[in-house]
Amino acid sequence: MWSPKTPAAAREIPFDFDPRASLAIERFFEDHDAWPHSRAVVNRRVKAAAEAAVEIDSGSIYPHALRATAATYHAGRGLDMLPLQSLFGWADLRTAQSYIASSGENTARALHMIHSR
């Protein structure tokens, strides 16, 4: 069974920012009492979903990769460090900072802002 690694890891995660994300999460966890919530079961369910998807290399889809993709996406959309850290439950703020620093979208957005005045 899942248990948080740190106190920051035990948190509520909002998904209502995007109706498609909400629907995907709801469908993934439908009948949540019908299956055990172990790491292996979650890995198998993610793999099965990836295999069912068209044009996706299911070998490169696993929960941690999806988590990193989500962190990169939110950092690229402009989510600040503290909310990013809170969303992903990282104990160290530098983890959030590394996602924000590596986002080319943030750099492009900042350049557009200063040059569009």
Side-chain angles (χ1 to χ4, degrees):
M1 298 299 276
W2 180 84
S3 62
K5 293 179 187 174
T6 67
R11 67 211 180 276
E12 288 188 25
I13 302 172
F15 291 103
D16 59 348
F17 62 90
D18 183 320
R20 289 177 55 195
S22 292
L23 183 60
I25 297 297
E26 286 173 19
R27 285 184 178 168
F28 185 84
F29 287 105
E30 281 179 350
D31 300 322
H32 67 279
D33 293 330
W35 57 277
H37 296 90
S38 69
R39 177 182 292 190
V41 171
V42 171
N43 285 339
R44 281 195 304 270
R45 288 180 66 101
V46 168
K47 182 176 180 171
E51 288 172 349
V54 178
E55 299 180 19
I56 291 181
D57 175 13
S58 63
S60 63
I61 305 297
Y62 49 94
H64 194 77
L66 295 175
R67 177 181 166 87
T69 300
T72 301
Y73 172 79
H74 291 300
R77 300 282 296 170
L79 191 61
D80 289 329
M81 261 189 295
L82 289 175
L84 192 64
Q85 178 190 25
S86 175
L87 178 63
F88 287 91
W90 297 313
D92 191 341
L93 188 60
R94 289 178 293 185
T95 306
Q97 189 175 22
S98 69
Y99 279 97
I100 290 170
S102 67
S103 171
E105 290 179 49
N106 285 337
T107 303
R109 187 176 19 267
L111 283 169
H112 287 287
M113 285 177 60
I114 65 168
H115 291 289
S116 65
R117 297 180 188 176

